Amino acid sequence: MKVTFPHLGNTYICVKSILDDIGIDYVIPPFNNKRALELGTRYSPEMVCLPLKINIGNYIQAYEMGADTILMAGGCGPCRFGYYSQLHMEILKDAGFNMEVITLEGTDIMDLLSRIRSVVPGASELMKLPSVLLRAVEIAKRSDEIEMLAFRTRARESERGATDRIYNGFREKALRTAGTKNILKLLDETEAMLKSVHLDPDADPLKVGIVGEIYTGIEHFASFDIQHRLGRLGVEVDRKVTVSNWIIEHMLKKPLHLPRDMAFAEAAKPWLGAMIGGHAQETVGNAAIYAKSGYDGVIQIFPFSCMPEIVAESLLPSVERDLDIPVLTLIIDEMTGEAGYMTRIEAFIDMLEGRRENLERRKAHGMRKGKKAHDNIHA
Amino acid sequence: MGSIEKEALYLGIDVGSVSTNLVTVDSDGQITAKHYRRTGGRPIQSLIDGLKIIAEQCGDAPIKGVGVTGSGRELAAVIAGADVIKNEITAHAVAAQAVVPGVRTILEIGGQDSKIILLKDGVVYDFAMNTVCAAGTGSFLDRQAARLGIPIEEFGDMALRSVTPVRIAGRCAVFAESDMIHKQQSGHSIEDIVNGLCEALVRNYLNNLAKGKEIHGPVVFQGGVAANKGIAAAFEKALGMKLTIPREYDVMGAFGAALIARRKIMNDKNSVTKFNGFDAANRIYETRSFECSGCPGLCEVVELRTDGRVQARWGDRCGKWSSFAARPELSPV
């Protein structure tokens, strides 16, 4: 048995370290790329959302590397993601790729355990699993923190490219680093390196919050690397929807009935009072949170035909109006032209800069006026 | 009694899908020369030819700054040597504000894309650009004019001669064309069909781009399609507002780029232009592209050679190829 799994940002780091520790043979498909997208598009239904197509591309590339078993997350999903793994099975079968799909979903704990047992080689490995998983959750959390730290340093670095070198090096090194303990060490080193990147002390970058569908937000290939490019243009980005957040809030706290972080739901209330599937409530709520915490703008990213995000998109103009924050929506699929999106993003940044200057001018003007009045009183 | 020194000029270049435009402005931001030509699918050739013509118009006035915009801006920046690279949306907004101070809405329809830009207090606060469909843009109108055998310059006048409105389905270029053929086969006059098409395209523009946006006056209409009186009339009818069409409506992108270059150079007294000189038009340019195999990303990298030597590369996401000629001052912001 040779296991594989689809890519989602830095998730591979977390998953591979578990498989290393348990001693399961696996291959990681090449990082998301054009060929994966082409393969996925060839075998998937045309109207299905983009993430599923890239997943299929990942599987086929892994199949070429010898994989025969797929580990895939599932769940009685709040959107089409819920039946992704069923579709994966059918598509691969129809296309003649002999691969087994093991869906890991928490809907039925006994069922989940038996599925895990089908992959784990022996009893002693099974005993190790809880402590490995604990470290894996830590890895997911730390990987996301590294990404967020890189978002901050990329926008402020004195030497252009310093952050990219460290961050890309980290992703490469993680492929060659075995086991949770070694990965945690690598995370320590990377964090130290990022913290030592020389930053421009005068940098006052524009701040943009990224909201939208989880896959296109996390997987940079699927969104033309927008978040890194913004960083290289000197814009600090932030994103609240992350893999570790999903693991902790949805996979751990929810089934265990622990109190969850519902700040986004509270913030979304004036415009969207209920969970309507996918990450729509997060999108609306986080946009409002960004507006209230002094961000210059919000960019919503989602794959073409994503229903929850379409609803969110129609609500964002109200958030935009009510909280005076510019929102740019980017809808992505395999047909999307990259050039048009970069034009929009550049124009959006120009617009945010113009707004900020205007605001500062008005503030300075207001202060002068205030001072004059003050002088008059004392004259 | 030395000779009167020629006043310095700023050059703006807009390499678009359908046209390549060049404009020079003086230190007051007034246009001193302009040139509009068809790109014809050969951006480098059309840029070189355009540079030669604008060089004649400028005489020996020194160029102190260069701004480039349009979908071919990367290419233009390398060939001409640019001090600033700007997206079309910002360039058009700057130009419209120079012509109509206090402009609130800019309708811009070019060769392949259409935009709406909304301003408040002299600052862009919202914009949209067509995403999925090029119906209503210059190249579609070009095609329809060619199919009907009407010179594109007469298209607008023809629409104004319409007496009976004909409704054409304007959601999609392909369907619009089928519908036009249907109307033509059922005996409607060409004038009515052309007018119906103008109205359909305006409807499409307002329903898609301007969806949910409040349009306030003054409204400026620019871009190549602003030459089309039929479209302008249809906009005025649909909006119930007068439009201002700037005299230089067809080169507004280049005008904006020149103004942005002028502002940048004037704000920084020590800056020296990156302009390669009009001599740039006399060199030999070759481009090739290749797929980088450095990582699974498989970026399509474009390489430009000038007189046989590699001058620039772009198209990579990581900067491995483009950074060798990295010029941070050319960053696209």
Side-chain angles (χ1 to χ4, degrees):
Chain A
M1 184 175 68
K2 205 169 204 150
V3 165
T4 192
F5 50 88
H7 272 296
L8 174 61
N10 289 336
T11 315
Y12 72 98
I13 300 173
C14 180
V15 178
K16 84 175 276 292
S17 67
I18 302 173
L19 299 175
D20 282 330
D21 281 2
I22 305 288
I24 297 173
D25 195 15
Y26 65 90
V27 287
I28 302 176
F31 287 144
N32 281 345
N33 59 75
K34 255 187 339 204
R35 188 160 170 269
L37 179 59
E38 274 163 24
L39 286 169
T41 307
R42 189 186 311 161
Y43 294 109
S44 311
E46 209 239 324
M47 285 313 288
V48 82
C49 31
L50 183 74
L52 184 129
K53 295 180 187 175
I54 305 181
N55 288 165
I56 293 288
N58 288 156
Y59 299 155
I60 296 174
Q61 284 191 312
Y63 180 82
E64 290 166 350
M65 297 161 75
D68 53 27
T69 305
I70 295 161
L71 294 180
M72 174 67 191
C76 46
C79 74
R80 278 186 271 186
F81 173 75
Y83 62 71
Y84 260 32
S85 67
Q86 292 300 318
L87 264 180
H88 287 158
M89 288 176 207
E90 294 298 322
I91 292 169
L92 291 170
K93 199 170 85 190
D94 285 352
F97 296 98
N98 189 14
M99 297 177 93
E100 195 193 342
V101 182
I102 297 178
T103 315
L104 303 173
E105 50 192 350
T107 40
D108 178 347
I109 296 293
M110 292 321 286
D111 186 39
L112 175 65
L113 285 177
S114 79
R115 284 180 199 192
I116 291 175
R117 220 169 290 153
S118 74
V119 202
V120 176
S124 66
E125 283 86 359
L126 203 59
M127 295 298 286
K128 278 205 301 202
L129 202 54
S131 65
V132 171
L133 288 180
L134 270 179
R135 282 197 296 276
V137 172
E138 177 71 10
I139 288 171
K141 219 172 114 216
R142 297 280 308 278
S143 308
D144 285 334
E145 284 165 7
I146 293 277
E147 190 182 16
M148 298 303 138
L149 181 59
F151 282 158
R152 278 193 293 279
T153 61
R154 199 176 283 113
R156 300 159 196 265
E157 62 195 12
S158 312
E159 183 211 342
R160 281 182 75 187
T163 302
D164 281 346
R165 243 187 342 265
I166 298 170
Y167 188 71
N168 295 338
F170 155 68
R171 285 181 45 96
E172 280 294 324
K173 271 184 247 166
L175 286 174
R176 300 189 300 269
T177 308
T180 45
K181 287 179 180 157
N182 290 326
I183 290 282
L184 281 169
K185 247 183 261 161
L186 176 67
L187 284 162
D188 286 337
E189 287 163 24
T190 310
E191 190 184 325
M193 279 164 84
L194 279 174
K195 282 187 171 155
S196 68
V197 169
H198 192 268
L199 304 181
D200 177 358
D202 299 327
D204 184 16
L206 287 170
K207 286 165 85 177
V208 168
I210 304 288
V211 299
E213 187 273 334
I214 183 166
Y215 187 91
T216 40
I218 292 174
E219 186 49 58
H220 298 290
F221 170 78
S223 53
F224 308 125
D225 231 10
I226 283 164
Q227 295 159 68
H228 295 156
R229 287 186 192 204
L230 283 167
R232 287 178 212 131
L233 298 174
V235 177
E236 183 180 325
V237 296
D238 185 67
R239 194 187 63 238
K240 297 193 190 296
V241 173
T242 59
V243 174
S244 59
N245 178 275
W246 192 69
I247 294 176
I248 294 167
E249 300 293 328
H250 290 260
M251 289 172 78
L252 298 178
K253 285 188 184 171
K254 203 172 169 187
L256 297 174
H257 301 287
L258 293 171
R260 294 158 62 198
D261 178 8
M262 300 303 277
F264 68 87
E266 193 54 41
K269 240 180 206 157
W271 305 276
L272 180 60
M275 156 80 181
I276 54 153
H279 282 80
Q281 209 178 6
E282 276 92 338
T283 296
V284 173
N286 287 334
I289 290 174
Y290 285 128
K292 287 175 185 162
S293 41
Y295 274 69
D296 297 278
V298 167
I299 296 182
Q300 181 201 19
I301 306 174
F302 66 89
F304 182 59
S305 82
C306 173
M307 274 305 287
E309 291 299 325
I310 291 171
V311 177
E313 184 195 5
S314 68
L315 294 170
L316 285 175
S318 312
V319 181
E320 194 170 8
R321 184 196 58 220
D322 297 346
L323 301 179
D324 193 27
I325 182 140
V327 180
L328 177 71
T329 293
L330 299 175
I331 308 170
I332 290 168
D333 76 348
E334 73 273 14
M335 308 287 190
T336 308
E338 193 170 333
Y341 275 19
M342 286 323 292
T343 299
R344 281 181 187 74
I345 287 168
E346 286 170 20
F348 188 66
I349 296 170
D350 283 346
M351 182 175 106
L352 299 187
E353 264 170 7
R355 281 174 64 111
R356 197 190 248 195
E357 278 166 23
N358 211 26
L359 216 69
E360 276 161 11
R361 233 189 345 259
R362 238 185 285 163
K363 236 188 251 166
H365 187 67
M367 263 159 64
R368 258 203 316 280
K369 258 199 191 145
K371 190 170 178 291
K372 224 185 242 164
H374 186 258
D375 290 349
N376 286 342
I377 291 167
H378 289 268
Chain B
M1 331 289 118
S3 63
I4 300 162
E5 216 176 283
K6 279 270 192 178
E7 208 206 338
L9 299 174
Y10 300 90
L11 174 64
I13 303 172
D14 177 358
V15 180
S17 55
V18 169
S19 71
T20 298
N21 314 319
L22 297 96
V23 161
T24 52
V25 300
D26 59 21
S27 50
D28 294 328
Q30 297 300 315
I31 296 183
T32 61
K34 70 162 200 170
H35 177 59
Y36 172 99
R37 69 183 300 117
R38 294 260 163 169
T39 307
R42 290 179 186 76
I44 297 182
Q45 194 53 47
S46 103
L47 173 61
I48 288 175
D49 294 344
L51 278 172
K52 284 180 185 159
I53 287 166
I54 217 83
E56 281 167 25
Q57 295 184 29
C58 290
D60 48 3
I63 299 292
K64 276 181 84 176
V66 177
V68 294
T69 187
S71 47
R73 58 188 182 276
E74 296 284 338
L75 198 66
V78 176
I79 290 178
D83 300 297
V84 51
I85 303 176
K86 265 297 161 202
N87 60 82
E88 306 90 289
I89 297 167
T90 306
H92 275 284
V94 168
Q97 282 175 288
V99 178
V100 181
V103 55
R104 291 290 308 274
T105 306
I106 301 166
L107 315 172
E108 198 271 339
I109 306 185
Q112 294 248 296
D113 53 40
S114 40
K115 311 171 190 78
I116 183 165
I117 308 170
L118 306 177
L119 302 98
K120 204 157 57 185
D121 307 326
V123 177
V124 177
Y125 82 92
D126 198 4
F127 64 84
M129 199 170 150
N130 60 334
T131 40
V132 282
C133 180
T137 60
S139 40
F140 176 66
L141 288 172
D142 257 3
R143 194 186 132 65
Q144 294 315 318
R147 201 179 57 78
L148 296 171
I150 313 166
I152 185 72
E153 295 77 18
E154 290 169 24
F155 205 80
D157 288 310
M158 193 162 240
L160 296 185
R161 288 200 296 273
S162 155
V163 280
T164 319
V166 170
R167 192 177 169 93
I168 306 274
R171 171 143 336 267
C172 156
V174 177
F175 295 151
E177 181 169 319
S178 330
D179 205 26
M180 280 173 71
I181 293 171
H182 167 71
K183 294 281 159 34
Q184 154 202 324
Q185 310 299 58
S186 56
H188 290 280
S189 79
I190 295 244
E191 283 83 0
D192 289 344
I193 294 173
V194 166
N195 184 51
L197 180 67
C198 291
E199 288 186 351
L201 298 185
V202 164
R203 209 162 48 232
N204 184 11
Y205 179 100
L206 293 176
N207 287 342
N208 285 317
L209 280 188
K211 182 179 58 187
K213 301 192 193 308
E214 262 180 79
I215 296 183
H216 297 278
V219 182
V220 171
F221 180 29
Q222 60 194 39
V225 173
N228 190 316
K229 289 176 197 155
I231 298 271
F235 264 124
E236 292 192 335
K237 191 172 146 199
L239 293 174
M241 271 187 231
K242 247 355 243 151
L243 303 181
T244 305
I245 300 176
R247 195 160 44 109
E248 322 292 356
Y249 66 90
D250 54 344
V251 294
M252 291 296 272
F255 180 34
L259 291 176
I260 293 166
R262 167 180 161 270
R263 190 171 62 196
K264 185 179 177 199
I265 299 285
M266 286 175 107
N267 280 346
D268 180 5
K269 294 288 170 219
N270 301 323
S271 64
V272 180
T273 181
K274 310 281 180 318
F275 185 44
N276 293 336
F278 286 115
D279 252 3
N282 299 321
R283 302 208 177 91
I284 294 164
Y285 299 98
E286 293 159 293
T287 54
R288 69 175 190 114
S289 62
F290 58 90
E291 199 170 70
C292 172
S293 52
C295 80
L298 307 177
C299 295
E300 289 156 22
V301 183
V302 180
E303 181 180 276
L304 176 81
R305 284 168 184 265
T306 308
D307 292 337
R309 283 182 46 203
V310 176
Q311 196 181 351
R313 296 191 182 108
W314 60 88
D316 51 339
R317 288 184 186 184
C318 70
K320 171 172 146 188
W321 297 98
S322 47
S323 61
F324 102 105
R327 291 165 67 181
E329 66 277 12
L330 290 187
S331 77
V333 167

